Amino acid sequence: MAKYIFVTGGVTSSLGKGIIAASLAKLLQARGFKVTIQKFDPYINVDPGTLNPYEHGECYVTEDGAETDLDLGHYERFLNTYTSQANNVTTGRIYQTVINKERAGEFLGKTVQVVPHITDEIKRRMLLLGKDGKFDIVITEIGGTVGDIESLPFIEAVRQIQWELPDDDVVVVHLTLIPYLKAAKELKTKPTQHSVKMLSETGVHPDVIVCRTEEPLNNDIRRKIGLFCNVKPDAVIEAMDASTIYEVPLLMLREKLDVICMRKLGISVYPEPDLEKWKGFLDKLKYPKSKVTIGLIGKYIELQDAYKSILESFIHAGAINEAKVQVVNVHSEFITDENVGEKLSGLDGLLVAPGFGHRGTEGKIIAVQFAREQGLPFFGICLGMQMAVIEYARNVLGIKDAHSTEMEPDTANPVINMMEEQKKIKMMGGTMRLGAYPCDITKGSLAEKIYGTTQITERHRHRYEFNNDYLEQFEANGLKASGVNVDTGLVEIVEIPTHPFFIGVQYHPELKSTVERPAPLFVSFIAAAKKYNETKSNLISSLLQKETV
Ligand code: GLN
């Protein structure tokens, strides 16, 4: 049986529970424990797959094709291990299971209630990953803020687990905010006291309090929080704002968050954490030797969470290239033939982002054309790849009305088409082509150079595909399909061999990029952008030299 750590949040949302959970997990993993993290979300959607990115940020897809909360992305990026369907549970999924059981007659004769039926199902799922010996420690992040009506059944389940399991099998970590009042020059503990009181009223008492703060907590404040919230002063942990989320594990190590959790878990013998690789990455991240500017062309750019995994992948790839990646967000809806040169000037590479629906697609197509014609490194992901195919069809093959049936269902030239198996699907939730699929890469292609192999698997989330009726025409005219799923014939990668770096992928390589295993496509894209930047700088300096001569 595994041991369990629960992470709750108080005072406000967006305190970074996911990062604290992931950092704690990282430290325990670095000390040799097998750790996993799961997230329980209080909303009624069965999963976040049907949510607009504006609502909930990016939808993160696991190997086994679950559409999940973006915090699972942090868990994978920190731990360098895969999560699965079981690692993200919503109220909707809990109710769906219980209601399906009720319909099947499993509770025959009984009134089905929140307690015990809903809470039993929550408990079953909370304990599940710790059952088969695969993990020593299971960390569960409870979404939402303590005091929300909708998270009550989850908190009640934690209370019951705390009561049922031996004392040293469960730790509750509560993350709160200690606001700093500038006028009074004071840190305020009252909101934390209230939130711990509220948590205690439900019967759950935190063992550790992690305090998000802009100013350091002195010993008096720690004592005060400890005294009023009834935890030991050394179990009051300071979580200062960090310059990068990847610094947080080291901050938590300094505060002994892992040691205090292990003490409560009755673990007294443990090795020093092995964080060599992590620190190596941080060094490179903090002291880059060069800088590249990448344009991120998307339509959800107002909300950074919408492209979370892409932005994190840039950080991983930048570090390994010892380059700072500055991302310039360009709203695709406002790119026109007239302003494209100005909007995309000064960039060293262009990433056209994934997306759904018509809005902003014409701007993406114009951006692709610019990158293709200017020899600017180009990287298209999912919809970004589809836009590259449409652009090539229109401007190189001369098929002026080429389109995707997603945007124009009656187009005469559907170079991007709905996948056959998608045509009969009516239900929206969890019905896209999801999760990991293998892809065979052509020998000698750019893709092979990037991956260093001809066999890969990558994760998907889409309904449309490259239309193979046009494949010959594309290939004869310079756009090659260099990656194909051999079972289905679906084109997964396209590239232009005559361009310095032009690649589009139907899958989402950003979902597999971690600190210790940066996604090869991002690494090579940043390397190409670096080269572009150097060539550009050399050109400018030789022009300047000529002028001065
Ligand atoms: N909308 C496109 C499709 O469904 C692309 C999806 C995406 O970019 N994730 O195929």
Side-chain angles (χ1 to χ4, degrees):
M1 266 286 280
K3 295 188 181 272
Y4 295 90
I5 300 177
F6 294 94
V7 182
T8 58
V11 184
T12 74
S13 56
S14 307
L15 288 181
K17 267 194 311 263
I19 301 297
I20 293 293
S23 299
L24 175 56
K26 183 77 222 169
L27 295 177
L28 294 167
Q29 185 194 52
R31 290 190 191 273
F33 296 100
K34 287 181 274 153
V35 191
T36 190
I37 322 178
Q38 51 184 354
K39 172 132 195 222
F40 279 61
D41 274 313
Y43 53 75
I44 309 286
N45 303 61
V46 170
D47 62 42
T50 53
L51 289 172
N52 186 314
Y54 289 123
E55 289 278 317
H56 205 63
E58 164 191 277
C59 173
Y60 187 78
V61 180
T62 56
E63 284 290 288
D64 63 350
E67 294 180 289
T68 73
D69 186 83
L70 57 77
D71 272 336
L72 273 78
H74 290 309
Y75 307 162
E76 290 202 7
R77 287 187 282 271
F78 274 55
L79 294 184
N80 199 31
T81 56
Y82 292 153
T83 54
S84 70
Q85 180 75 67
N87 292 68
N88 192 196
V89 178
T90 68
T91 294
R93 192 172 292 280
I94 298 283
Y95 271 78
Q96 191 182 50
T97 311
V98 174
I99 291 171
N100 286 346
K101 277 189 185 168
E102 187 273 335
R103 292 291 82 184
E106 283 191 36
F107 307 111
L108 222 47
K110 290 266 182 284
T111 307
V112 182
Q113 294 179 299
V114 174
V115 184
H117 301 99
I118 294 297
T119 45
D120 278 353
E121 179 59 19
I122 296 173
K123 281 194 296 180
R124 186 183 72 80
R125 288 183 186 254
M126 280 178 170
L127 300 177
L128 195 64
L129 288 172
K131 293 274 186 211
D132 59 6
K134 257 170 66 188
F135 300 106
D136 307 314
I137 299 170
V138 177
I139 301 183
T140 304
E141 178 191 346
I142 312 281
T145 310
V146 165
D148 295 347
I149 292 176
E150 52 184 17
S151 58
L152 275 175
F154 291 135
I155 304 289
E156 168 61 12
V158 175
R159 185 192 70 78
Q160 293 185 20
I161 289 174
Q162 224 178 4
W163 180 78
E164 283 165 12
L165 295 190
D167 259 3
D168 61 1
D169 274 358
V170 183
V171 176
V172 176
V173 176
H174 187 58
L175 175 66
T176 77
L177 176 70
I178 307 288
Y180 180 71
L181 292 191
K182 276 206 180 85
K185 291 200 179 63
E186 253 187 280
L187 284 165
K188 291 294 182 191
T189 64
K190 195 71 86 194
T192 295
Q193 293 178 40
H194 279 297
S195 117
V196 171
K197 193 168 157 207
M198 208 173 320
L199 185 59
S200 301
E201 275 167 10
T202 59
V204 174
H205 190 71
D207 303 292
V208 183
I209 298 178
V210 178
C211 304
R212 272 302 294 274
T213 172
E214 288 172 28
E215 294 291 324
L217 304 181
N218 61 30
N219 281 344
D220 288 347
I221 294 268
R222 286 180 197 249
R223 264 197 77 78
K224 187 171 170 188
I225 297 169
L227 180 66
F228 288 123
C229 300
N230 202 23
V231 302
K232 296 273 180 253
D234 68 353
V236 177
I237 303 286
E238 167 192 292
M240 290 275 286
D241 293 353
S243 58
T244 152
I245 54 170
Y246 299 107
E247 186 88 52
V248 181
L250 300 185
L251 297 182
M252 291 303 105
L253 179 69
R254 209 175 61 200
E255 286 286 304
K256 300 192 168 59
L257 173 62
D258 56 335
V259 171
I260 286 161
C261 288
M262 287 190 292
R263 181 176 75 194
K264 171 69 184 27
L265 292 175
I267 303 170
S268 50
V269 187
Y270 42 81
E272 280 301 302
D274 176 8
L275 289 163
E276 259 339 279
K277 278 191 186 152
W278 192 269
K279 286 180 181 163
F281 158 79
L282 258 184
D283 272 351
K284 285 195 170 152
L285 182 63
K286 281 182 161 170
Y287 308 106
K289 296 195 177 122
S290 59
K291 186 181 138 187
V292 292
T293 310
I294 302 295
L296 171 63
I297 318 294
K299 66 170 172 179
Y300 308 114
I301 55 166
E302 305 88 333
L303 184 80
Q304 286 300 290
D305 274 358
Y307 300 116
K308 196 82 212 162
S309 294
I310 290 177
L311 296 176
E312 297 306 322
S313 302
F314 277 139
I315 293 175
H316 309 155
I320 210 164
N321 275 291
E322 298 187 78
K324 177 174 171 49
V325 181
Q326 187 190 354
V327 179
V328 175
N329 296 302
V330 187
H331 204 308
S332 58
E333 229 182 321
F334 308 118
I335 300 176
T336 62
D337 284 321
E338 289 69 41
N339 68 19
V340 63
E342 178 204 337
K343 280 206 184 279
L344 306 185
S345 71
L347 300 177
D348 304 315
L350 204 68
L351 185 141
V352 177
F356 293 84
H358 200 285
R359 185 170 68 93
T361 49
E362 289 304 320
K364 284 185 173 172
I365 293 170
I366 295 169
V368 178
Q369 182 180 4
F370 180 85
R372 182 177 58 76
E373 291 178 349
Q374 303 292 318
L376 184 65
F378 168 83
F379 182 12
I381 298 182
C382 209
L383 185 71
M385 172 266 201
Q386 297 175 355
M387 295 300 108
V389 170
I390 294 171
E391 191 280 322
Y392 209 83
R394 288 185 188 174
N395 299 324
V396 180
L397 306 186
I399 312 174
K400 289 291 164 210
D401 57 355
H403 222 313
S404 159
T405 50
E406 179 179 7
M407 287 84 207
E408 208 177 302
D410 300 323
T411 177
N413 281 297
V415 291
I416 302 294
N417 209 357
M418 186 175 266
M419 284 180 280
E420 258 332 293
E421 77 260 24
Q422 284 287 328
K423 290 184 178 156
K424 39 191 184 299
I425 292 174
K426 294 277 175 295
M427 298 287 273
M428 291 293 276
T431 56
M432 280 187 247
R433 182 180 183 223
L434 290 166
Y437 285 91
C439 165
D440 277 26
I441 293 177
T442 312
K443 273 211 156 65
S445 62
L446 172 64
E448 192 208 4
K449 214 166 113 200
I450 290 171
Y451 280 97
T453 170
T454 55
Q455 305 270 312
I456 56 163
T457 63
E458 291 277 12
R459 299 182 196 170
H460 292 252
R461 183 173 189 248
H462 59 113
R463 289 187 206 280
Y464 295 83
E465 57 157 329
F466 181 99
N467 184 345
N468 278 327
D469 291 351
Y470 294 86
L471 181 59
E472 245 182 68
Q473 212 180 335
F474 275 109
E475 294 220 309
N477 289 284
L479 183 84
K480 304 284 181 193
S482 57
V484 175
N485 179 304
V486 274
D487 304 325
T488 55
L490 293 175
V491 170
E492 310 284 32
I493 310 176
V494 296
E495 60 185 71
I496 303 176
T498 52
H499 189 284
F501 189 98
F502 190 104
I503 195 157
V505 294
Q506 186 56 79
Y507 49 82
H508 291 265
E510 72 276 20
L511 299 174
K512 276 174 68 171
S513 188
T514 72
V515 165
E516 287 173 30
R517 209 174 355 100
L521 272 162
F522 279 85
V523 175
S524 296
F525 176 55
I526 296 302
K530 244 172 90 172
K531 202 161 146 200
Y532 183 87
N533 181 290
E534 281 157 17
T535 319
K536 197 170 66 180
S537 315
N538 291 343
L539 196 68
I540 293 172
S541 57
S542 73
L543 283 177
L544 283 175
Q545 249 171 18
K546 264 190 203 150
E547 257 174 40
T548 36
V549 171

